[in-house]
Amino acid sequence: MALFPPRQTPSTSAPMQAPTQTGAPISGLSPLTRDEVQRADLLADRIRSRFAATLVGQEQLRESLLVTMVASGHILIESVPGLAKTTAAQTLASCVSGSFKRVQCTPDLMPSDLVGTQVFDFSRQQFSTQLGPIHANFVLLDEINRSNAKTQSAMLEAMAEGATTIGGQRLALPQPFMVIATQNPIEEEGTYNLPEAQMDRFMMKAVMTYPSAGQEIQMLQLLTSRGSDMPATSSQGQLSLEDVQFLRMASRRIHVAEPIMRYAVDIAATSRGAGSHPIQGLASKVRLGASPRASIALIRIGQAHALLSGRDYVIPEDIKGFAHDILRHRILLTFEALADGVTSDSIIDTIVNTVPTP
């Protein structure tokens, strides 16, 4: 993973100047002022400080959660049990004053348990709509691969459409809306793996690793000092829903030069065996590369990270730093590659090193 550049603290209210690169912004939206960039930087610091009080290490996961929220996406977190996947998701939700629901996925979970259903009210002799837990600003789908395929489809439909249908009535989900799903890769019994085409609905897939010995000691010190296994929740320093909407709208106004767009497209195309510098022998390892949805995610995540780094323009490091999280679930390997122990992360390493940086 590429190191992230240090954030720059803006100071005046004049519009910031992007570097002299050819190309126009993605849209005709007005550029951000320095005051707006500074506000976004302060909001991000408030979230990071709350994470520091709850989690030890896992900086990459924290940044992945943060930029996914700002980029209006959804994230899938994978790791073995016990690495604080649920705690990380709950920490992000606690940073915002919006509603939060957790769904513990099981094989008998039905779509109506998630999206809601119609209940007959005998006192009024008519049906009333009872909303399910998916109707919240932040939804944690714990162990999503334990739910059956029909329920997974209902989840992913709500993520893609931003609405649910109950009794023929279309109901919009609250905004902002974000799904944080977790899964562990070690169990096969009683699980239903997400189909690759449906997994593409997640903007990012983060993979957590074991902490170092020093970080694990810090974790135990934090645990014993607060006297509780669960972190204390406080409304102090929380972001409002308006703050989150501001971050999302501001990230869309981040300038993206044409060379950066070409860079994102080149990375996605190279995974498909094309691109400006095709990789020899890639077809024997990759049976399906990243779709244009990946290049869109690269740009959206790049805009979000640039905003949270105190800039109003995207640089290549904004894209490089999250290339693995964006591409690892969109690159499907051949049976030969799997048999040889090749991983999608190693393929992404080759792609990032091959595609020239603008």
Side-chain angles (χ1 to χ4, degrees):
M1 287 285 185
L3 295 177
F4 299 132
R7 293 188 318 231
Q8 304 168 2
T9 303
S11 57
T12 67
S13 59
M16 299 184 69
Q17 297 296 322
T20 55
Q21 301 184 63
T22 59
I26 280 182
S27 68
L29 297 175
S30 61
L32 292 175
T33 65
R34 288 187 179 273
D35 284 345
E36 289 174 319
V37 176
Q38 185 176 30
R39 178 187 174 189
D41 196 41
L42 293 174
L43 292 175
D45 283 341
R46 283 163 59 181
I47 296 179
R48 292 186 179 107
S49 64
R50 291 179 71 97
F51 266 93
T54 305
L55 287 177
V56 175
Q58 304 296 352
E59 287 84 4
Q60 180 65 30
L61 175 64
R62 179 199 66 197
E63 293 299 315
S64 296
L65 285 166
L66 186 52
V67 296
T68 302
M69 179 186 71
V70 175
S72 305
H74 310 285
I75 188 171
L76 176 65
I77 307 174
E78 180 179 280
S79 78
V80 297
L83 294 188
K85 299 186 296 295
T86 302
T87 302
Q90 291 176 330
T91 301
L92 179 66
S94 70
C95 293
V96 182
S97 60
S99 56
F100 170 70
K101 295 293 179 63
R102 174 184 176 181
V103 180
Q104 183 65 52
C105 297
T106 57
D108 60 348
L109 186 71
M110 299 303 294
S112 59
D113 299 326
L114 185 75
V115 302
T117 187
Q118 285 193 319
V119 179
F120 187 74
D121 188 343
F122 286 94
S123 62
R124 294 186 297 171
Q125 292 295 301
Q126 63 182 15
F127 283 95
S128 62
T129 300
Q130 183 175 345
L131 299 179
I134 198 72
H135 290 266
N137 295 116
F138 294 89
V139 180
L140 171 61
L141 301 177
D142 222 347
E143 296 190 272
I144 187 176
N145 54 331
R146 289 195 178 279
S147 59
N148 58 59
K150 191 173 183 179
T151 305
Q152 289 177 3
S153 297
M155 298 172 184
L156 297 166
E157 181 183 4
M159 292 162 51
E161 301 295 333
T164 60
T165 302
I166 304 175
Q169 181 182 6
R170 183 178 175 86
L171 302 172
L173 294 170
Q175 294 299 322
F177 173 68
M178 179 180 179
V179 169
I180 307 169
T182 69
Q183 68 176 13
N184 72 72
I186 62 172
E187 293 177 287
E188 294 295 335
E189 186 176 355
T191 61
Y192 303 81
N193 291 331
L194 282 171
E196 289 84 353
Q198 292 183 338
M199 195 179 294
D200 193 40
R201 294 291 180 182
F202 287 98
M203 183 172 282
M204 301 179 72
K205 178 184 177 182
V207 175
M208 298 176 65
T209 57
Y210 285 107
S212 64
Q215 290 175 336
E216 201 160 352
I217 291 174
Q218 293 179 31
M219 178 192 69
L220 296 177
Q221 291 174 340
L222 179 64
L223 185 69
T224 54
S225 64
R226 69 187 181 205
S228 172
D229 290 345
M230 298 300 296
T233 58
S234 171
S235 60
Q236 184 177 3
Q238 278 187 329
L239 274 65
S240 65
L241 295 180
E242 290 74 19
D243 288 332
V244 178
Q245 292 292 65
F246 161 76
L247 290 173
R248 290 186 167 188
M249 294 302 297
S251 71
R252 299 299 176 96
R253 295 162 57 194
I254 295 295
H255 175 74
V256 184
E258 185 176 345
I260 300 295
M261 297 183 194
R262 293 184 181 276
Y263 181 57
V265 171
D266 205 4
I267 289 178
T270 302
S271 72
R272 303 191 295 265
S276 61
H277 293 70
I279 300 175
Q280 296 295 326
L282 188 68
S284 64
K285 299 179 181 179
V286 177
R287 61 186 176 93
L288 185 65
S291 70
R293 187 177 286 152
S295 57
I296 294 174
L298 287 169
I299 292 299
R300 290 303 188 202
I301 291 295
Q303 288 178 302
H305 187 255
L307 175 68
L308 300 177
S309 300
R311 284 178 280 103
D312 70 339
Y313 56 89
V314 179
I315 60 177
E317 284 72 17
D318 293 323
I319 293 176
K320 280 185 178 180
F322 295 96
H324 290 73
D325 288 357
I326 294 172
L327 297 176
R328 64 165 52 101
H329 59 298
R330 294 182 165 99
I331 294 179
L332 307 185
L333 303 178
T334 61
F335 292 109
E336 292 81 1
L338 293 173
D340 292 338
V342 177
T343 63
S344 58
D345 279 7
S346 64
I347 298 294
I348 298 168
D349 284 333
T350 304
I351 293 173
V352 171
N353 293 330
T354 300
V355 176
T357 303

